[in-house]
Amino acid sequence: MIDYIIVGSGIAGICFAEIALQNKKSIIVFDNNSQNSSNIAAGIYNPVILKRFSEVWNAKSQIDFLNNFYPLIENRINTKIDFKTPVIRKFFSIEEQNNWFSASDKISLAPFLSTKLLYNKYNGIDSPFGFGEVFHTGYVDTKLLLNKYHQYLKNNSNFIQDEFHYSKLEIQTDFISYNNIKAKSIVFAEGFGLHKNPFFKYLPLDGTKGEILIIKAPNLDLNCILNSSVYLLPLGNGMFKVGATYNWEDKTNAVTEDGKKELIDKIKELLNCDFEIMNHLAGIRPTVKDRKPLVGTHLEYKKIHILNGLGTRGVMLGPSLANDLFQNIENGIPLNDYIDIKRFDK
């Protein structure tokens, strides 16, 4: 008898696996490599929604939690994956500057928005109106995290690379079993794969396709994360990750010419230097119609749980939400109504 079967090993699954291991629980993780969004994600954590100048829900506690969480993962996998990096917002007008200062006066946003405009001169970027800086930001190298953490799980016989067959799950009063594995609980963290899950497919997971480009721009000397109509994330050696598109209709992982053109057009609006496209990737983000995560326990089967719907902010939401779910399962601590799937109970 183990403590947890975890289905899915993207950001959500890894976060729950790590919380369980930190609490001395035994786990088995299943993954069939069908979901790509965590692998290609920018992995940026930023407490402010810059499009609307509003605070991410529960931002301070999430940032505080991840600042303790990712160093523990780095220690476990012996790899640096969390990079504290400033996020700057390019202004296109005096009006945008004024909107920034108005937002920085709000109590909830004041800790995160600098009141000093930056007029840094970055070769390759015209910026007559300057930039605003967001505090407590950075990014997690999600591809490296997934590769190293999967290897750690495999080395410790905690990982099964195979499709999970829901029909083989047997539900008892006090435990569940799958093939020859018995567990006290099962957590589904499948991302967009939730649509095949008979226990939770009633939940309104929408899924939003995102496409990104990896570009090479040797003359661009940007050393921070630039947020504008797209983000530019420095990868080193003149390489940058650029994204992302939002497509609510296409539910495939295939890259498109339309997505590529949209990103190229936006890059050309931002940069005045040459760039070369090195790679083009796509994935389906696990987004929810009400823009809130999906966390909780099945209404009928109390040993079946879900951690999903992290959307575009997986590396920021994942650690604290995984802990919230763990504390709910193990210690009966109620989930916040904002994230609890009980909001969809009929």
Side-chain angles (χ1 to χ4, degrees):
M1 177 79 73
I2 64 169
D3 292 301
Y4 289 98
I5 293 174
I6 302 167
V7 182
S9 66
I11 295 299
I14 283 178
C15 285
F16 192 87
E18 177 62 21
I19 291 293
L21 291 175
Q22 288 175 16
N23 286 275
K24 312 299 183 187
K25 300 298 182 180
S26 50
I27 63 171
I28 291 288
V29 179
F30 281 82
D31 196 288
N32 65 356
N33 204 32
S34 64
Q35 301 303 313
N36 198 35
S37 62
S38 291
N39 240 321
I40 72 165
I44 298 169
Y45 50 88
N46 170 9
V48 182
I49 302 170
L50 291 172
K51 188 175 182 179
R52 299 189 292 273
F53 289 127
S54 57
E55 181 191 7
V56 174
W57 172 77
N58 224 10
K60 185 182 184 303
S61 65
Q62 289 176 23
I63 292 291
D64 289 344
F65 196 90
L66 72 82
N67 281 333
N68 292 316
F69 179 82
Y70 286 117
L72 294 174
I73 284 192
E74 290 176 332
N75 185 60
R76 186 180 301 281
I77 62 177
N78 196 29
T79 304
K80 177 73 173 173
I81 50 122
D82 180 16
F83 301 91
K84 306 300 182 189
T85 309
V87 169
I88 60 171
R89 166 69 184 270
K90 179 182 174 179
F91 298 128
F92 288 88
S93 65
I94 297 294
E95 182 183 7
E96 283 197 346
Q97 291 179 348
N98 292 336
N99 290 340
W100 177 276
F101 284 122
S102 295
S104 67
D105 281 339
K106 297 178 181 177
I107 293 175
S108 62
L109 295 177
F112 306 124
L113 298 181
S114 172
T115 55
K116 180 181 178 182
L117 294 184
L118 301 178
Y119 285 96
N120 300 0
K121 298 297 183 184
Y122 297 106
N123 187 51
I125 302 174
D126 290 327
S127 53
F129 297 100
F131 307 92
E133 182 179 359
V134 187
F135 299 133
H136 307 294
T137 60
Y139 74 96
V140 171
D141 187 331
T142 55
K143 185 175 182 179
L144 183 61
L145 167 60
L146 266 59
N147 288 341
K148 292 291 187 177
Y149 209 92
H150 291 173
Q151 192 58 55
Y152 171 84
L153 293 172
K154 290 174 184 175
N155 291 345
N156 289 276
S157 301
N158 297 133
F159 193 88
I160 297 177
Q161 192 156 344
D162 194 9
E163 183 172 353
F164 187 89
H165 298 278
Y166 306 101
S167 61
K168 295 182 179 180
L169 183 65
E170 297 182 12
I171 305 167
Q172 310 295 334
T173 303
D174 297 322
F175 66 94
I176 53 95
S177 61
Y178 181 83
N179 289 342
N180 61 343
I181 304 169
K182 291 183 178 180
K184 296 176 183 177
S185 289
I186 184 168
V187 174
F188 288 106
E190 305 151 291
F192 188 65
L194 177 72
H195 284 282
K196 297 180 180 178
N197 188 318
F199 301 103
F200 293 112
K201 64 181 180 181
Y202 72 92
L203 293 171
L205 187 80
D206 192 14
T208 308
K209 182 172 183 173
E211 299 185 53
I212 68 161
L213 297 177
I214 307 296
I215 67 169
K216 187 171 186 177
N219 296 322
L220 177 61
D221 65 354
L222 186 69
N223 60 355
C224 53
I225 301 166
L226 176 63
N227 178 286
S228 185
S229 54
V230 290
Y231 64 77
L232 265 73
L233 172 65
L235 301 176
N237 300 316
M239 305 287 283
F240 298 85
K241 184 178 284 189
V242 185
T245 62
Y246 290 82
N247 186 324
W248 290 270
E249 305 301 325
D250 184 356
K251 307 298 184 184
T252 72
N253 286 328
V255 298
T256 67
E257 285 302 312
D258 286 346
K260 183 178 181 180
K261 181 180 184 303
E262 179 184 337
L263 290 171
I264 289 174
D265 288 346
K266 289 179 177 179
I267 294 170
K268 288 180 176 178
E269 290 175 1
L270 273 179
L271 304 184
N272 60 16
C273 62
D274 293 333
F275 62 91
E276 179 184 359
I277 297 171
M278 308 302 291
N279 207 352
H280 183 192
L281 303 164
I284 309 295
R285 310 174 186 90
T287 54
V288 185
K289 292 184 188 300
D290 65 3
R291 299 186 178 183
K292 300 174 184 176
L294 300 172
V295 186
T297 298
H298 193 277
L299 185 62
E300 181 179 355
Y301 304 117
K302 301 306 180 184
K303 300 298 179 181
I304 299 179
H305 316 279
I306 184 172
L307 179 60
N308 208 319
L310 304 188
T312 61
R313 300 181 181 275
V315 300
M316 182 169 164
L317 292 169
S320 61
L321 294 191
N323 186 62
D324 289 345
L325 179 59
F326 181 86
Q327 296 300 333
N328 177 252
I329 296 169
E330 295 289 334
N331 301 313
I333 298 174
L335 294 169
N336 190 295
D337 291 341
Y338 184 90
I339 63 173
D340 199 328
I341 59 170
K342 286 180 180 177
R343 67 187 187 273
F344 300 112
D345 287 351
K346 296 291 187 281

